[in-house]
Amino acid sequence: MTAEKDLAPLLEKCFLFDATEDSYEMTGITGRIPEWLRGTYYMNGPARFERAGMRYHHWLDGDGMICAIRFGADGVRFTNKFVGTTKLKDEEAAGKFVYRGFGTAWEGDKLLRGVMLEPPNNVSVYPYNGKLLAFGEQALPLELDPVTLETKGYYDFDGALNEVTPFAAHAKTDPTNGHLLNFGVSFSMTEPMLNVFEFDPHGELVRRRRHKLEYQHSVHDFGFTQNYVAFYLSPLIMDFARFWGEGASVMESLKWEPEKGSVIFVAPRSAKEPGFRVEVPPCYCLHLINCFEEGGMVMVDVLEMDRPIYVEYQPVPDLFPTASACRPVRFVIDPVKKQLVERIAMSYDLAPDFPSTGAHLQGAKYDAFWVLGIGANGLPGRKFFDQLVKGSWKAGDVCDKWIAPAGEYLGGEPVAVMNPANPEECVVICVHSIPAEDRGEYLLFDGHSLSTGPIARLPLKNKIHAGFHTSFHFD
Ligand SMILES: [Fe+2]
């Protein structure tokens, strides 16, 4: 801990504990769960940071755990289980950490085929092709049983990918045709490449496009529209000489070089044509909010950070000590003139992250989005998410929020689930950690009335870790 004021008391109790795998009917639920909410919520996130006396340094290092909440006519069932990665199996057998982490490296640590991280598949979880897939950074997804969460094995899209294919954690489904889009960066000192994949709803590869990159950018997320894919390329650049040559972690091998500038790269989704770049302020973007086309323009909506955020994911559990301002920004891009037409920034800058717009609005015109924010952002010292916020482009800013009581935290992308029969009705789900009482719960909100507080509270038998990304699958 640093000497600054502790802006996140007891945060260690949210990270440093042994997660309990379980499956049970949730009892003690208070409030009201809308009857139309029938299906399963999924969340992935790191849930083990210590083994055999060793502690991981970085939030991204922890082993992935899936939490599921099944909302049925006969009740609500919670199930959580670690993702059965090669990493987890080998380390369980060895009784200690074996593989280098994103932010933790040590003498004698191992890599996958000696070249890349053996992934913990701890970032996201999405239903696809009748399966449930757990994704990691630059890794093959793992197929899970959607009910028991038992791991079935690595999923390679019928042989289209292999264990070293670069494949990001932010796969996205186009609601208009069920296609799954994703990307991966081929790191190379001489010819770094951006790969863009599109699969049909049944697992068949429709196309793979390759675009040359100027630098070995660290890229976590992307956006798509009906005709384009869009990437925010920040000057956070991977130095493989350090990673391979010096045994450094990914975190130690990433260099922030703002003098190289930031660009938004837009490429046709299907046509075999090169993309184009537009220059934007030299900021960092971890997550895009959404993209869509309107009036011949491509809207690229992002969470724009003054500086990279990965350095703030350490040291566990003292996170976000010096997190920079971050704000929702819309870039209006003319794809014919290949020019940036306008940059529209919201004023809310309390480190918003984990944006959600509703799955049926991916790649389509939308107005509202939901994010988590950090109320103490801007002050030095560890801190964590404690605001649930709704932003609206029509309103031009954040228009609704709920703030957790002091010393309590929120976690997991606040997934927005819209009533299929009436998309005006929206429920937002997130994790609420109460470390002073050593417990946690899930909260359900009316997405259009956050400030009135949760509409339902779902107590957890065992506390869980703050997760990363989430999804909801209707029955
Ligand atoms: Fe992410």
Side-chain angles (χ1 to χ4, degrees):
M1 271 293 300
T2 49
E4 292 103 4
K5 184 182 175 206
D6 187 359
L7 301 168
L10 302 179
L11 189 58
E12 63 279 2
K13 295 185 82 165
C14 303
F15 280 86
L16 304 178
F17 64 94
D18 292 328
T20 307
E21 294 182 320
D22 210 338
S23 183
Y24 54 88
E25 292 296 321
M26 297 187 96
T27 55
I29 294 171
T30 56
R32 182 185 64 83
I33 299 172
E35 280 193 11
W36 57 264
L37 193 71
R38 293 282 181 267
T40 309
Y41 160 99
Y42 295 106
M43 177 179 86
N44 194 355
R48 178 186 282 108
F49 296 94
E50 294 177 311
R51 199 191 271 281
M54 181 174 165
R55 182 188 299 176
Y56 280 141
H57 193 57
H58 198 277
W59 194 7
L60 272 166
D61 290 334
D63 289 305
M65 172 171 267
I66 309 296
C67 295
I69 310 173
R70 157 120 186 92
F71 295 90
D74 53 348
V76 180
R77 188 169 191 87
F78 177 84
T79 303
N80 64 332
K81 204 165 199 50
F82 278 106
V83 183
T85 59
T86 299
K87 172 187 181 299
L88 184 76
K89 286 179 190 160
D90 288 357
E91 293 181 346
E92 292 269 299
K96 61 180 183 179
F97 289 137
V98 171
Y99 294 101
R100 189 180 305 175
F102 182 92
T104 308
W106 64 96
E107 189 74 35
D109 62 13
K110 286 190 178 168
L111 294 172
L112 167 60
R113 291 199 193 177
V115 294
M116 58 196 286
L117 296 182
E118 183 65 64
N121 286 58
N122 59 5
V123 179
S124 59
V125 56
Y126 301 115
Y128 168 68
N129 187 20
K131 304 169 192 316
L132 183 68
L133 301 179
F135 291 80
E137 196 68 305
Q138 297 274 323
L140 266 190
L142 277 156
E143 183 185 340
L144 313 176
D145 183 294
V147 175
T148 65
L149 305 181
E150 208 68 55
T151 298
K152 295 181 168 181
Y154 286 92
Y155 182 72
D156 66 1
F157 294 84
D158 206 16
L161 310 180
N162 63 52
E163 65 174 2
V164 292
T165 307
F167 204 62
H170 274 284
K172 295 180 195 296
T173 301
D174 181 341
T176 65
N177 60 9
H179 282 199
L180 187 86
L181 291 94
N182 201 3
F183 74 97
V185 175
S186 299
F187 290 104
S188 153
M189 307 285 261
T190 52
E191 218 174 36
M193 201 74 77
L194 186 61
N195 303 271
V196 183
F197 304 89
E198 185 160 341
F199 302 91
D200 75 8
H202 313 293
E204 287 293 314
L205 181 65
V206 176
R207 66 181 77 89
R208 176 179 182 168
R209 295 278 180 263
R210 292 175 171 84
H211 304 281
K212 280 186 184 169
L213 289 172
E214 197 174 352
Y215 305 112
Q216 299 192 83
H217 295 276
S218 165
V219 191
H220 177 71
D221 193 11
F222 78 118
F224 74 89
T225 69
Q226 287 309 291
N227 297 295
Y228 299 96
V229 286
F231 295 83
Y232 189 111
L233 301 177
S234 314
L236 182 66
I237 294 166
M238 184 69 188
D239 178 357
F240 271 97
R242 289 218 65 203
F243 183 74
W244 288 322
E246 299 172 26
S249 68
V250 173
M251 190 62 238
E252 293 162 332
S253 307
L254 289 170
K255 248 175 109 182
W256 177 237
E257 302 181 57
E259 67 283 359
K260 290 195 161 89
S262 295
V263 297
I264 291 176
F265 175 69
V266 179
R269 187 164 144 184
S270 60
K272 266 193 172 173
E273 290 167 13
F276 64 93
R277 291 164 167 75
V278 297
E279 285 183 23
V280 295
C283 294
Y284 176 76
C285 171
L286 184 70
H287 291 123
L288 286 84
I289 303 169
N290 200 5
C291 295
F292 66 96
E293 292 171 53
E294 185 179 38
M297 297 291 139
V298 179
M299 313 292 169
V300 180
D301 298 346
V302 312
L303 294 173
E304 182 197 74
M305 300 176 178
D306 290 350
R307 295 189 304 277
I309 197 71
Y310 286 149
V311 71
E312 306 295 335
Y313 283 11
Q314 62 183 30
V316 170
D318 303 330
L319 304 197
F320 301 110
T322 60
S324 73
C326 171
R327 61 198 73 76
V329 175
R330 168 166 289 174
F331 293 97
V332 182
I333 295 172
D334 183 333
V336 176
K337 292 182 178 165
K338 302 179 179 175
Q339 284 175 356
L340 176 63
V341 175
E342 196 177 3
R343 174 184 173 277
I344 303 162
M346 292 189 182
S347 68
Y348 182 88
D349 66 355
L350 298 177
D353 206 359
F354 301 108
S356 174
T357 58
H360 69 293
L361 292 170
Q362 286 274 300
K365 188 176 178 188
Y366 74 107
D367 176 56
F369 61 89
W370 290 263
V371 287
L372 298 181
I374 300 176
N377 210 49
L379 299 173
R382 72 172 180 177
K383 53 190 87 75
F384 204 68
F385 297 105
D386 57 0
Q387 299 194 350
L388 172 62
V389 169
K390 177 190 170 189
S392 158
W393 295 103
K394 271 185 214 140
D397 211 340
V398 158
C399 58
D400 192 13
K401 77 170 81 152
W402 184 78
I403 300 173
E408 300 180 9
Y409 309 104
L410 299 176
E413 174 193 321
V415 66
V417 189
M418 279 76 168
N419 181 352
N422 176 13
E424 293 301 306
E425 278 185 64
C426 168
V427 164
V428 172
I429 305 171
C430 65
V431 179
H432 180 210
S433 297
I434 307 148
E437 297 172 22
D438 219 21
R439 69 180 179 92
E441 61 186 3
Y442 268 98
L443 299 179
L444 268 56
F445 290 84
D446 173 344
H448 300 299
S449 184
L450 303 178
S451 60
T452 54
I455 57 169
R457 292 173 182 265
L458 286 56
L460 291 158
K461 206 166 107 185
N462 315 297
K463 65 180 182 175
I464 58 172
H465 290 79
F468 287 151
H469 294 289
T470 59
S471 53
F472 190 90
H473 183 63
F474 279 101
D475 286 344

